[in-house]
Amino acid sequence: MLYIGCHLSASKGYLAMGKQAHEIDANTFAFFTRNPRGGSAKALDLADTERYNAFAKEHSFGKLVAHAPYTMNACAADESIRRFARETMADDLKRMEAVPGNYYNFHPGSHVKQGTEIGTELIIEQLNEVLFPEQSTIVLLETMAGKGSEMGRTFEELRKIIDGVELKDKLGVCFDTCHVWDGGYDIVNDLDGVLEQFDKVIGLDRLKAVHLNDSKNPLNAHKDRHEKIGEGFIGADALIRVINHDKLKGLPVILETPNDIEGYRAEIKFLRENYSD
Ligand code: FE
Ligand code: FE
Ligand code: ZN
């Protein structure tokens, strides 16, 4: 089963997102838990989340991959930015329990000249404060392109973070194809090798979701600029191999390509046509 979807606007609530996804032949989706630039979240509408849960069940949706705001930086040098990150994640995880059993993806953060060691410690500290034993949401660390002082470009960096977290069963990884490519992992010529490395360093059991994006830049560019499927340096063939790979089948696949809703509809159609069960 191919679970595929795209980023949707959360402004009209969960049921509206579910219906919009279904309308473009998606069976999962992503959304920002609040304005991506930060700020407060809308009050939760429990009638809406209940209706969504029923809708998702009825239409056999895969797990959602919610996205934390970009401004969340768990390893900022500034204590007030770190506090915002902590409070945002804690609040988001509480709210996510209204749609239980889904994923919450976040960018590990940028260490801004503090170095990766301190960066790692600060991210671990936040996760240990915020994760709670009763949560049904799995928090995903996103693989990053390594732009500026971004943490999480290498599998080793992600592994170090996971190692320091007490509630490890609440943690997973989201594999962003544009980011790993920009980060230096050659998923075009050696997808098997990259996944083997992932397995050796982190363990494939932690791999929970895929962000499927082409890239505007060549391998190892450390840039992070997404491109439409088939129009970038990764190319359609390699991305089709990603969704059909034995080790990745069944994971929710989220498009974060520069598209409007009709563009997403077309990409979903194209990828479904090139998927074999
Ligand atoms: Fe992201
Ligand atoms: Fe991503
Ligand atoms: Zn990106």
Side-chain angles (χ1 to χ4, degrees):
M1 178 64 133
L2 178 59
Y3 294 105
I4 188 164
C6 61
H7 259 273
L8 296 175
S9 160
S11 63
K12 294 197 178 97
Y14 278 94
L15 184 64
M17 288 192 281
K19 285 184 170 167
Q20 190 178 25
H22 185 59
E23 212 273 309
I24 59 171
D25 203 19
N27 49 1
T28 176
F29 56 88
F31 60 98
F32 287 108
T33 52
R34 59 192 71 215
N35 184 317
R37 310 214 155 270
S40 59
K42 282 200 317 182
L44 252 192
D45 175 351
L46 292 175
D48 174 55
T49 52
E50 233 167 84
R51 271 186 235 120
Y52 169 74
N53 291 332
F55 183 89
K57 204 170 164 197
E58 187 190 331
H59 295 283
S60 309
F61 271 36
K63 288 181 189 296
L64 303 181
V65 191
H67 201 303
Y70 286 140
T71 41
M72 196 168 99
N73 186 3
C75 59
D78 184 333
E79 155 65 23
S80 68
I81 297 175
R82 292 204 301 274
R83 192 183 329 118
F84 168 79
R86 234 166 21 237
E87 287 169 359
T88 299
M89 189 185 274
D91 186 46
D92 280 351
L93 289 181
K94 241 180 278 156
R95 296 159 57 88
M96 289 285 295
E97 289 303 311
V99 285
N102 288 300
Y103 295 142
Y104 177 81
N105 172 70
F106 80 110
H107 296 176
S110 293
H111 65 67
V112 275
K113 291 187 189 148
Q114 301 175 97
T116 57
E117 245 170 77
I118 290 180
T120 304
E121 273 171 40
L122 290 171
I123 296 163
I124 291 170
E125 210 176 286
Q126 162 158 340
L127 289 167
N128 280 336
E129 273 181 51
V130 166
L131 300 182
F132 57 101
E134 301 80 17
Q135 73 182 65
S136 66
T137 306
I138 302 294
V139 172
L140 307 184
L141 298 151
E142 184 167 353
T143 58
M144 300 308 294
K147 192 176 60 181
S149 66
E150 229 167 42
M151 300 282 304
R153 181 182 67 80
T154 65
F155 300 157
E156 284 78 6
E157 274 180 27
L158 294 172
R159 170 62 195 261
K160 271 194 197 135
I161 296 168
I162 295 167
D163 277 344
V165 174
E166 285 150 28
L167 297 174
K168 288 186 180 55
D169 58 322
K170 308 298 181 194
L171 279 186
V173 173
C174 174
F175 188 92
D176 185 310
T177 55
C178 169
H179 297 177
V180 293
W181 169 258
D182 282 28
Y185 292 99
D186 190 353
I187 55 170
V188 173
N189 297 298
D190 189 20
L191 178 59
D192 282 335
V194 171
L195 292 175
E196 255 165 52
Q197 231 179 312
F198 188 101
D199 195 29
K200 230 174 51 201
V201 177
I202 301 177
L204 278 169
D205 53 328
R206 293 263 177 221
L207 220 178
K208 303 293 188 195
V210 174
H211 281 171
L212 197 77
N213 303 306
D214 213 323
S215 174
K216 283 193 198 292
N217 291 288
L219 180 69
N220 209 20
H222 295 201
K223 283 279 191 352
D224 188 4
R225 297 204 50 214
H226 302 186
E227 184 52 282
K228 291 178 182 158
I229 304 298
E231 295 184 19
F233 278 84
I234 300 175
D237 289 348
L239 293 168
I240 287 168
R241 286 196 295 274
V242 167
I243 60 169
N244 282 290
H245 198 285
D246 276 353
K247 304 255 153 72
L248 303 175
K249 270 191 166 164
L251 302 182
V253 172
I254 303 294
L255 296 162
E256 302 177 303
T257 45
N259 273 306
D260 58 14
I261 197 74
E262 290 310 317
Y264 281 131
R265 186 200 298 276
E267 285 189 347
I268 289 168
K269 181 166 184 281
F270 171 75
L271 292 162
R272 286 202 184 284
E273 284 167 357
N274 286 282
Y275 178 80
S276 53
D277 252 311

